[in-house]
Amino acid sequence: MSQKTNIKNGVGAEVKLVVKVFDLLPSPPDGVTMAAGVAAWLPFARAAAIGWMPVANLPMPIAPTDKNKRQDELIVLNVSGRRFQTWRNTLDRYPDTLLGSSEKEFFYNEETREYFFDRDPDVFRSILNFYRTGKLHYPRYECISAYDEELAFFGIIPEIISDCCYEEYKDRKRENAERLMDDLEDSKDSKLPNMTFRETMWRAFENPHTSTMALVFYYVTGFFIAVSVITNVVETVPCGSTPNQRDVPCGERYTVAFFCMDTACVMIFTVEYLMRLFAAPSRYRFMRSVMSIIDVVAILPYYIGLVMTDNEDVSGAFVTLRVFRVFRIFKFSRHSQGLRILGYTLKSCASELGFLLFSLTMAIIIFATVMFYAEKGSSSSKFTSIPASFWYTIVTMTTLGYGDMVPKTIAGKIFGSICSLSGVLVIALPVPVIVSNFSRIYHQNQRADKRRAQKVQKARLARMRISKTGSSNAFLHSKRNGMLNQALELTGSTGEDRHLNKTTSLIESQHHHLLHCLEKTTNHEFVDEQLFEQSYLESALQSLPSRSPSLSSQEGITGTCCSRRAKRGSRPSSEAHKPSHMHPHTHNLQELSAIHIQCGEQRTLNTSRSSLNMRPDESGGLNCKSSSQVTTAIISIPTPPTNNSPTSPEAPPNLASNSSAGVVKVSAL
Amino acid sequence: MGAVVGTLTMQTKQRRPSRDKVDDDLEMTVVCHRPEGLEQLEAQTNFNKRELQVLYRGFKNECPSGVVNEETFKQIYSQFFPHGDASAYAHYLFNAFDSGHSGSIKFEDFVTALSILLRGSTREKLQWTFNLYDINRDGYINKEEMTDIVSAIYDMMGKYTYPALKTDTPKQHVEAFFQKMDKNRDGVVTLDEFILSCQEDDNIMRSLQLFENVM
């Protein structure tokens, strides 16, 4: 007895937590899973089930009867004056929406004998078409928030919008959400009281208009960037010549002044970089970002120059380094939103630019070769080699025509003219593609939402998978509910079963009856993924080597407890699945949380088993007295109770199976 | 000269594909099918007009062209069995429904088969089931055919079952089936053996009446 309570406490704690969540979560959408027309084929599927009957060895369950079988009738839906008519069966296809359930009775008008809805008739068209065709479409002219409201009113989840319209719907929704977020950010200008100094600094760096200090800093850095760039430029201008020397650039004349300016700028930039590095929430990510790389490249030459002596050999390299100082101009992109957008669009046009470059290269090589061989004969030809002709080809194709290299032979002139004509074509063709691409991207995506689209797609697939597994879960749910009802009936509490009995539509109950017949035909039951893997883990842990050959897998599944335990023992030797295929079909998110929760349950089982003082490797595990078998029996889905009173074994199994159902729910969402 | 020849050949090449396209269009339109009149179908089957109307509405909704091909059939049937893979069994069902072996099920085939299954006599139902199992239509069910059918049924269960499916479960099931059905132990089951054995089994007789009230 105490052992059983131990187990209950072990699993019960988990169950309590999970059942609470389970209560909050909505039930799986049963009716939404089956498409409209498919429900009409259910009689055919049930009739075809006669093909299983001669193969089955067990008696079939009783078919659900249509209690109020009435002829199909037309019902009138009056939506703000526009009358829609449809068959009642059409609406009954989706019993968990407003129109498919009894909720529509609230809108029934006795005098006119029609259902009146005071909603938008244009949107209602799409909603009614969903019942008719099974596909929900999103009309483009409709406002996204109005459409969402209508869907929420009629109890339809937006995730089932069909693929043809889903992209559009998601785009509009995202734009709307961004607009709302922008509005929110504008209104949220007040400083949050509990922000650390570091966070305040980071916020000041990212949004300069939040405080005056940030604004001052923003303008100061901008000014110094400009100063630095101008000094770089002016350094090279020849300014004033002393009579005995040639024109010297200003940099050499006023070395000290320029050096001081350079030092000041670099000081400011270094301080700025260090402050940003300190304030960044994720320093590693900040250091990897493009802007910080530009900062580093901008100030590095100065420090390298300080370190290097006036060695003649390296001064050449030192000069090259100074070129990198021009990168300081890119620091302006922090100050200009337009520059950032330009950079992003160039990045996304990369494929078109690449194509342009490739086609140009091809043409250049072809024409350079042709020109070289055409001009080979002529004397004093500038076309000394094919690479030398590259220059001529580029200049001609881009219609620059410097005139430093001109063909002299007639063949050369002919090919030269062909070259210039084709150059116009080759360049003119891809450029409009790039331009249109640019404008499309500029108008549509100003932020990097490709990654966001990936996340949305994943989330959508996850929700669709949930609704799909909802149909299989629905069957298992109804089985458990059916079991629970039977258990409650046997204990005599009739008042509760109505409360627990989920109202399933006739179509759903007929579908479940069909699946039940399949179970009986094959003499195997459908179980949850989780339970299946748990029971596999169980049997693997027990590692019973002996197999009882006398028990076949066919008969006796509903027989005595000993036979079931023996079968459990015989399973690992014949199990075809490897442990690596533990979680084959679970979604990433599901998998992660599913593993955690499963491990949790495993641990409780282990503690309970150890508290029961078990030896799991006991080959005599077939002994009915061993309580380790009791734990395993609790986890499995119970078969319908045959004879004895099932209250005590029934309640924990249902709790456990509910917990696993709860586990599924929690991990899925 | 070469250019002239080139343009001439290009033109002749163009003409040929367009003719093929027209043929393709003609082919597409022929596939659409309309069933015979309501009265004729009512006479041929055991359904009344109202039931035929409901059946046709559902049929036409899913297959606007009036015929079901095997792909669509498999898709529709698979929707009822989300746990496992129903395509193999749907293939055998399709062949059983497609009595004319035309590769597509018309509404008449559909309704005829349903009439047998839902409103037919026991003998007719068993005969239809025998035709389903007899994949090559030679009048005998041998072990390979039965194994195929039973494997297809087990495929519909999927992977997550209790107890877990073993690889030889279908074979054992087929053995048990042949034990019961094959009276003269010659390795094949004929139609008469099949009907006789089924009539002796109460379970099967009861379950055949199970779907009487489907429509």
Side-chain angles (χ1 to χ4, degrees):
Chain A
M1 222 33 192
S2 60
Q3 295 163 346
K4 276 207 184 134
T5 49
N6 241 349
I7 296 160
K8 255 197 233 167
N9 283 342
V11 179
E14 291 268 335
V15 164
K16 229 181 288 177
L17 178 72
V18 163
V19 164
K20 265 198 209 128
V21 186
F22 186 53
D23 288 334
L24 295 170
L25 296 169
S27 53
D30 303 278
V32 192
T33 54
M34 282 221 291
V38 174
W41 284 64
L42 187 60
F44 145 73
R46 302 182 67 211
I50 288 186
W52 306 334
M53 300 303 145
V55 177
N57 299 321
L58 301 171
M60 292 290 143
I62 309 169
T65 50
D66 195 356
K67 292 192 187 74
N68 47 353
K69 192 175 176 102
R70 48 168 185 237
Q71 296 289 341
D72 206 2
E73 52 177 7
L74 282 174
I75 66 173
V76 182
L77 302 163
N78 185 344
V79 183
S80 304
R82 203 186 298 179
R83 280 185 177 72
F84 298 86
Q85 290 184 329
T86 181
W87 298 109
R88 190 173 282 273
N89 279 356
T90 311
L91 294 182
D92 287 341
R93 283 177 193 153
Y94 298 102
D96 61 335
T97 57
L98 185 150
L99 291 174
S101 65
S102 56
E103 196 185 340
K104 64 178 184 281
E105 303 301 325
F106 285 100
F107 299 91
Y108 188 65
N109 190 341
E110 293 288 346
E111 297 124 37
T112 54
R113 301 176 66 81
E114 62 189 15
Y115 294 87
F116 181 77
F117 297 96
D118 200 7
R119 310 291 297 189
D120 189 356
D122 290 327
V123 178
F124 189 76
R125 229 172 37 93
S126 323
I127 290 177
L128 194 54
N129 278 337
F130 164 62
Y131 286 89
R132 290 183 183 134
T133 61
K135 296 200 196 105
L136 181 61
H137 294 283
Y138 168 60
R140 278 161 204 250
Y141 54 81
E142 208 54 65
C143 169
I144 185 76
S145 33
Y147 192 73
D148 268 343
E149 275 174 25
E150 296 297 313
L151 283 186
F153 180 84
F154 286 102
I156 298 173
I157 55 171
E159 268 68 26
I160 51 176
I161 293 181
S162 58
D163 290 333
C164 45
C165 299
Y166 193 72
E167 279 306 314
E168 172 81 20
Y169 173 80
K170 270 296 164 193
D171 284 343
R172 296 275 290 269
K173 194 143 189 196
R174 191 186 11 220
E175 280 173 26
N176 204 31
E178 283 168 2
R179 184 183 59 81
L180 283 175
M181 246 177 16
D182 283 342
D183 290 344
L184 224 75
E185 269 181 20
D186 285 342
S187 64
K188 188 183 67 160
D189 245 338
S190 60
K191 242 189 250 178
L192 304 167
N194 51 359
M195 268 170 66
T196 67
F197 175 64
R198 190 172 149 187
E199 283 173 5
T200 331
M201 244 171 79
W202 182 249
R203 203 155 148 261
F205 279 133
E206 293 299 299
N207 307 339
H209 56 270
T210 49
S211 69
T212 39
M213 262 305 285
L215 213 55
V216 162
F217 183 78
Y218 175 78
Y219 281 125
V220 161
T221 45
F223 173 71
F224 272 98
I225 295 174
V227 160
S228 164
V229 169
I230 291 173
T231 37
N232 282 347
V233 166
V234 167
E235 229 174 29
T236 60
V237 169
C239 63
S241 54
T242 56
N244 50 346
Q245 282 178 343
R246 52 180 171 78
D247 280 337
V248 292
C250 282
E252 284 177 25
R253 195 149 166 208
Y254 302 104
T255 322
V256 176
F258 278 107
F259 182 74
C260 288
M261 288 261 252
D262 208 19
T263 313
C265 294
V266 168
M267 282 298 118
I268 301 277
F269 296 152
T270 317
V271 164
E272 181 206 353
Y273 180 72
L274 289 174
M275 276 167 60
R276 272 183 207 266
L277 189 62
F278 167 68
S282 156
R283 299 221 169 99
Y284 176 63
R285 211 156 56 95
F286 171 73
M287 280 174 54
R288 272 179 18 185
S289 70
V290 175
M291 290 311 303
S292 86
I293 291 177
I294 292 178
D295 288 340
V296 167
V297 168
I299 60 180
L300 220 47
Y302 177 81
Y303 289 109
I304 295 180
L306 279 186
V307 167
M308 278 205 290
T309 58
D310 274 324
N311 198 347
E312 285 298 317
D313 296 329
V314 294
S315 67
F318 176 61
V319 166
T320 341
L321 268 180
R322 295 185 117 205
V323 171
F324 281 99
R325 290 188 305 172
V326 81
F327 272 79
R328 288 178 197 167
I329 207 171
F330 283 115
K331 284 165 71 78
F332 267 129
S333 52
R334 270 219 188 89
H335 297 248
S336 159
Q337 169 86 342
L339 265 182
R340 281 205 293 269
I341 292 176
L342 178 65
Y344 172 68
T345 47
L346 280 178
K347 198 167 56 155
S348 39
C349 282
S351 62
E352 277 83 17
L353 284 172
F355 166 68
L356 173 61
L357 215 61
F358 176 68
S359 59
L360 269 180
T361 314
M362 257 178 35
I364 285 170
I365 293 177
I366 292 174
F367 279 108
T369 316
V370 166
M371 288 307 295
F372 171 71
Y373 283 111
E375 284 289 303
K376 204 157 178 204
S378 104
S379 56
S380 75
S381 156
K382 292 240 176 62
F383 295 81
T384 51
S385 66
I386 293 187
S389 319
F390 279 167
W391 174 245
Y392 169 76
T393 320
I394 292 176
V395 166
T396 313
M397 281 181 87
T398 53
T399 69
L400 278 174
Y402 287 135
D404 52 352
M405 282 164 83
V406 282
K408 295 210 170 45
T409 61
I410 297 198
K413 284 186 178 156
I414 292 177
F415 286 119
S417 40
I418 296 177
C419 173
S420 71
L421 287 174
S422 67
V424 170
L425 278 177
V426 166
I427 291 184
L429 280 179
V431 166
V433 172
I434 295 178
V435 166
S436 70
N437 222 9
F438 186 103
S439 76
R440 179 178 61 82
I441 292 174
Y442 181 80
H443 284 297
Q444 259 187 20
N445 317 327
Q446 293 202 0
R447 295 176 185 90
D449 62 341
K450 266 189 193 173
R451 265 188 230 125
R452 225 176 285 178
Q454 290 257 347
K455 278 191 207 152
V456 165
Q457 182 69 3
K458 263 195 206 165
R460 181 194 179 203
L461 288 176
R463 284 175 107 124
M464 277 172 65
R465 177 165 299 149
I466 290 167
S467 66
K468 275 207 185 86
T469 55
S471 71
S472 46
N473 281 345
F475 176 57
L476 301 167
H477 263 283
S478 73
K479 274 214 313 193
R480 273 183 230 118
N481 284 342
M483 243 72 80
L484 204 50
N485 287 340
Q486 285 181 32
L488 288 168
E489 272 165 32
L490 281 163
T491 57
S493 55
T494 51
E496 290 193 14
D497 62 8
R498 233 165 300 259
H499 162 68
L500 276 167
N501 191 11
K502 235 174 24 165
T503 50
T504 51
S505 72
L506 182 67
I507 291 180
E508 283 308 306
S509 58
Q510 286 178 345
H511 188 203
H512 293 163
H513 172 250
L514 185 65
L515 292 173
H516 213 161
C517 285
L518 183 60
E519 282 185 339
K520 289 278 185 236
T521 308
T522 56
N523 213 348
H524 288 65
E525 286 179 3
F526 290 112
V527 302
D528 244 334
E529 248 182 79
Q530 310 281 348
L531 291 169
F532 179 75
E533 283 149 15
Q534 270 177 11
S535 48
Y536 172 77
L537 278 174
E538 296 275 307
S539 47
L541 278 169
Q542 287 171 17
S543 65
L544 296 164
S546 65
R547 183 217 309 222
S548 59
S550 58
L551 294 163
S552 66
S553 61
Q554 303 296 327
E555 278 90 52
I557 184 173
T558 53
T560 60
C561 51
C562 279
S563 62
R564 190 204 292 172
R565 288 169 204 164
K567 251 195 298 292
R568 200 174 274 286
S570 69
R571 212 188 313 129
S573 45
S574 57
E575 193 66 72
H577 304 284
K578 297 194 213 46
S580 60
H581 297 298
M582 228 14 123
H583 304 279
H585 300 301
T586 48
H587 188 247
N588 298 340
L589 211 57
Q590 259 181 345
E591 197 174 355
L592 208 54
S593 32
I595 290 176
H596 287 323
I597 297 172
Q598 233 190 12
C599 289
E601 281 201 286
Q602 280 296 309
R603 249 179 271 120
T604 57
L605 286 172
N606 280 335
T607 54
S608 62
R609 238 189 253 122
S610 59
S611 70
L612 298 171
N613 203 5
M614 274 309 108
R615 284 192 298 275
D617 295 279
E618 218 175 311
S619 61
L622 291 173
N623 197 349
C624 295
K625 283 203 213 96
S626 58
S627 340
S628 71
Q629 307 299 340
V630 174
T631 56
T632 61
I634 284 182
I635 310 275
S636 67
I637 288 188
T639 52
T642 44
N643 32 13
N644 31 21
S645 68
T647 8
S648 34
E650 280 299 317
N654 277 319
L655 276 179
S657 49
N658 264 345
S659 80
S660 58
V663 161
V664 169
K665 287 288 178 295
V666 167
S667 63
L669 290 170
Chain B
M1 194 59 185
V4 171
V5 172
T7 44
L8 279 177
T9 49
M10 266 183 24
Q11 277 193 355
T12 48
K13 276 209 190 95
Q14 272 171 3
R15 231 177 275 134
R16 244 177 273 127
S18 61
R19 216 180 289 139
D20 290 338
K21 241 186 272 177
V22 170
D23 288 342
D24 283 338
D25 286 338
L26 278 176
E27 259 189 53
M28 293 266 284
T29 51
V30 162
V31 170
C32 185
H33 178 85
R34 270 184 202 95
E36 320 163 0
L38 203 48
E39 290 83 13
Q40 280 167 293
L41 278 178
E42 199 187 1
Q44 285 170 9
T45 65
N46 305 331
F47 292 119
N48 61 17
K49 267 212 187 111
R50 189 142 189 119
E51 290 163 340
L52 284 173
Q53 279 180 342
V54 173
L55 277 173
Y56 188 68
R57 280 207 296 266
F59 185 84
K60 181 100 179 161
N61 221 1
E62 199 66 20
C63 320
S65 60
V67 291
V68 195
N69 60 0
E70 191 163 338
E71 271 314 303
T72 322
F73 191 86
K74 279 186 185 169
Q75 272 174 22
I76 294 172
Y77 199 70
S78 302
Q79 300 227 11
F80 293 106
F81 303 98
H83 307 264
D85 177 24
S87 54
Y89 189 70
H91 170 74
Y92 298 127
L93 261 188
F94 185 83
N95 288 338
F97 269 74
D98 184 15
S99 44
H101 304 287
S102 57
S104 60
I105 301 181
K106 302 186 287 295
F107 184 62
E108 290 94 340
D109 303 329
F110 180 69
V111 144
T112 319
L114 274 189
S115 162
I116 295 175
L117 287 172
L118 298 177
R119 302 283 163 89
S121 68
T122 313
R123 198 189 162 81
E124 286 175 343
K125 288 182 192 173
L126 289 172
Q127 197 156 5
W128 188 89
T129 316
F130 185 84
N131 275 335
L132 172 68
Y133 295 160
D134 185 13
I135 299 176
N136 56 1
R137 304 297 156 92
D138 62 351
Y140 300 105
I141 304 178
N142 53 11
K143 284 221 171 114
E144 287 80 28
E145 290 172 338
M146 208 54 217
T147 315
D148 287 339
I149 298 268
V150 172
S151 311
I153 294 179
Y154 273 92
D155 282 343
M156 286 198 282
M157 290 292 293
K159 198 159 65 153
Y160 303 115
T161 61
Y162 171 71
L165 286 171
K166 305 175 203 153
T167 40
D168 61 344
T169 312
K171 270 205 199 56
Q172 289 180 357
H173 206 131
V174 170
E175 289 298 324
F177 178 82
F178 265 81
Q179 285 267 356
K180 199 164 55 167
M181 301 280 167
D182 192 6
K183 299 278 188 218
N184 57 359
R185 304 268 173 259
D186 58 354
V188 292
V189 178
T190 62
L191 179 62
D192 299 316
E193 282 177 344
F194 182 72
I195 294 181
L196 214 61
S197 319
C198 287
Q199 281 171 342
E200 287 169 6
D201 189 338
D202 281 334
N203 271 343
I204 297 180
M205 283 293 114
R206 242 201 316 274
S207 47
L208 283 180
Q209 315 302 324
L210 199 60
F211 296 105
E212 296 253 296
N213 61 344
V214 163
M215 275 306 296

